[in-house]
Amino acid sequence: MASVTQHQIQKFHKDGFLVLEQFFSAEECDNMRSQIQKIVAEMEVPPHCRTAFSTREEEQLQAQGSSDYFLTSGDKIRFFFEKGVLDEKGNFLVPKEKSVSKIGHALHAYDPVFKQITHSPKVQELGRKLGLERPVVVQSMYIFKQPGIGGEVTPHQDATFLHTEPLGRILGFWIALEDATEENGCLWFIPGSHTNGITRRMVRAASGASTCVEFVGSEPAYNKKQFIPLPISKGGLILIHGEVVHKSELNSSESSRHVFTFHVMEAKGTTWSKENWLQPTPELPFPSLYT
């Protein structure tokens, strides 16, 4: 992996994202994939936890909001499923390794393979090049984007879900564990859209509400023509500014699009919102990126 240049960092600040091809080796990607296969093979899912994962707002509130399982997943390794893979009794309609939408949100803390990747020297070096002084890891996810059923992720800003004061302190690291193409659901971005703040937040609902989270504000109508696709090869890394608008389409292809992603917050001079769904816990305070 070649070192990141100042020019690339300037480009990141201008666009709100940066593509770094071949950041991780094929072997590192394969290690992550085989580790997740083991985790899925051992997965036991209590029926009441079998909530389908969706990014459409109402379904999101229904599936995640009514579910303690989601809200308390910040310091655990938990399983979220694609739509239509479970019957109403919570039994699998497809092989279980093809049913999972994502696994979150603390692989970086509790799994040795993902922990090593998250804190790898090249990630730490990149953090330093970006000028991060006290970066902490707030969450991680393994995303499967299953063939044929991997759901779309509607246009969003990560800071909607991970809010800080001031803004501009959240950074996503998105690692392609196999080629991400337009056919299998690569990311799409609106370049420069990270400079306008955020219009919507997902917050913890007041106790006694029918859902555990609710949205405040509204999502603007984005111009489809402004999005550009960012296909990337296996091992590539996309850096994602917390306020840049991005999405991915349904995976209608016959190949999956596995990804490991984690979010870092610059903790220096930053307040993590008490209203965020994700909260540090005594068991897992947000760990420092630098080791």
Side-chain angles (χ1 to χ4, degrees), residues 199-219:
T199 56
R200 190 175 74 127
R201 287 180 58 191
M202 186 173 93
V203 299
R204 288 179 168 241
S207 58
S210 59
T211 60
C212 293
V213 292
E214 59 194 8
F215 285 96
V216 178
S218 58
E219 196 64 85

Side-chain angles (χ1 to χ4, degrees), residues 8-70:
Q8 285 174 306
I9 288 171
Q10 283 165 350
K11 194 164 167 45
F12 170 73
H13 290 303
K14 176 172 162 277
D15 293 337
F17 58 84
L18 180 64
V19 177
L20 298 170
E21 288 280 8
Q22 298 177 331
F23 193 86
F24 289 97
S25 68
E27 185 185 19
E28 286 171 311
C29 294
D30 295 343
N31 286 345
M32 286 188 264
R33 290 198 63 182
S34 56
Q35 187 70 356
I36 218 74
Q37 277 176 334
K38 288 181 200 143
I39 290 172
V40 170
E42 292 164 14
M43 161 176 90
E44 282 302 326
V45 189
H48 74 274
C49 296
R50 292 176 171 177
T51 54
F53 172 69
S54 169
T55 53
R56 295 223 172 268
E57 190 163 315
E58 307 72 48
E59 293 172 11
Q60 202 171 20
L61 292 176
Q62 188 194 345
Q64 302 180 343
S66 59
S67 159
D68 233 20
Y69 186 73
F70 169 75

Side-chain angles (χ1 to χ4, degrees), residues 1-5 7-9 11-13 15-24 126 130 171-176 180 186-189 191 228-241:
M1 195 260 329
S3 204
V4 180
T5 65
H7 175 69
Q8 285 174 306
I9 288 171
K11 194 164 167 45
F12 170 73
H13 290 303
D15 293 337
F17 58 84
L18 180 64
V19 177
L20 298 170
E21 288 280 8
Q22 298 177 331
F23 193 86
F24 289 97
L126 181 52
L130 288 161
L171 178 63
F173 290 72
W174 191 97
I175 305 158
C186 71
L187 294 179
W188 294 66
F189 287 82
I228 61 161
L230 289 193
I232 188 166
S233 305
K234 174 178 174 173
L237 170 71
I238 302 180
L239 277 180
I240 304 174
H241 187 286

Side-chain angles (χ1 to χ4, degrees), residues 8-241:
Q8 285 174 306
I9 288 171
Q10 283 165 350
K11 194 164 167 45
F12 170 73
H13 290 303
K14 176 172 162 277
D15 293 337
F17 58 84
L18 180 64
V19 177
L20 298 170
E21 288 280 8
Q22 298 177 331
F23 193 86
F24 289 97
S25 68
E27 185 185 19
E28 286 171 311
C29 294
D30 295 343
N31 286 345
M32 286 188 264
R33 290 198 63 182
S34 56
Q35 187 70 356
I36 218 74
Q37 277 176 334
K38 288 181 200 143
I39 290 172
V40 170
E42 292 164 14
M43 161 176 90
E44 282 302 326
V45 189
H48 74 274
C49 296
R50 292 176 171 177
T51 54
F53 172 69
S54 169
T55 53
R56 295 223 172 268
E57 190 163 315
E58 307 72 48
E59 293 172 11
Q60 202 171 20
L61 292 176
Q62 188 194 345
Q64 302 180 343
S66 59
S67 159
D68 233 20
Y69 186 73
F70 169 75
L71 269 192
T72 56
S73 65
D75 62 351
K76 298 178 188 67
I77 295 174
R78 287 192 166 166
F79 304 92
F80 302 90
F81 299 95
E82 287 293 355
K83 282 192 283 200
V85 300
L86 301 161
D87 66 18
E88 61 284 357
K89 295 198 179 76
N91 299 312
F92 290 107
L93 298 168
V94 301
K96 72 176 183 178
E97 64 277 4
K98 292 265 192 282
S99 68
V100 188
S101 159
K102 61 177 198 170
I103 297 178
H105 288 89
L107 286 161
H108 63 280
Y110 297 130
D111 182 273
V113 172
F114 293 99
K115 187 175 192 172
Q116 188 181 4
I117 290 288
T118 303
H119 297 279
S120 61
K122 49 196 166 191
V123 169
Q124 297 192 41
E125 185 200 358
L126 181 52
R128 291 196 166 93
K129 284 256 170 81
L130 288 161
L132 300 177
E133 292 185 59
R134 282 208 292 123
V136 296
V137 187
V138 297
Q139 69 150 0
S140 57
M141 286 186 288
Y142 191 104
I143 304 170
F144 293 80
K145 203 76 162 177
Q146 301 282 4
I149 58 167
E152 68 168 332
V153 176
T154 50
H156 69 284
Q157 299 166 288
D158 292 342
T160 284
F161 306 95
L162 309 171
H163 191 263
T164 60
E165 307 262 334
L167 285 171
R169 301 303 173 87
I170 291 289
L171 178 63
F173 290 72
W174 191 97
I175 305 158
L177 304 185
E178 43 194 346
D179 294 351
T181 64
E182 284 192 48
E183 291 69 45
N184 75 358
C186 71
L187 294 179
W188 294 66
F189 287 82
I190 300 181
S193 58
H194 60 303
T195 57
N196 305 325
I198 58 168
T199 56
R200 190 175 74 127
R201 287 180 58 191
M202 186 173 93
V203 299
R204 288 179 168 241
S207 58
S210 59
T211 60
C212 293
V213 292
E214 59 194 8
F215 285 96
V216 178
S218 58
E219 196 64 85
Y222 295 111
N223 178 350
K224 280 202 166 96
K225 295 194 177 84
Q226 290 188 302
F227 283 94
I228 61 161
L230 289 193
I232 188 166
S233 305
K234 174 178 174 173
L237 170 71
I238 302 180
L239 277 180
I240 304 174
H241 187 286

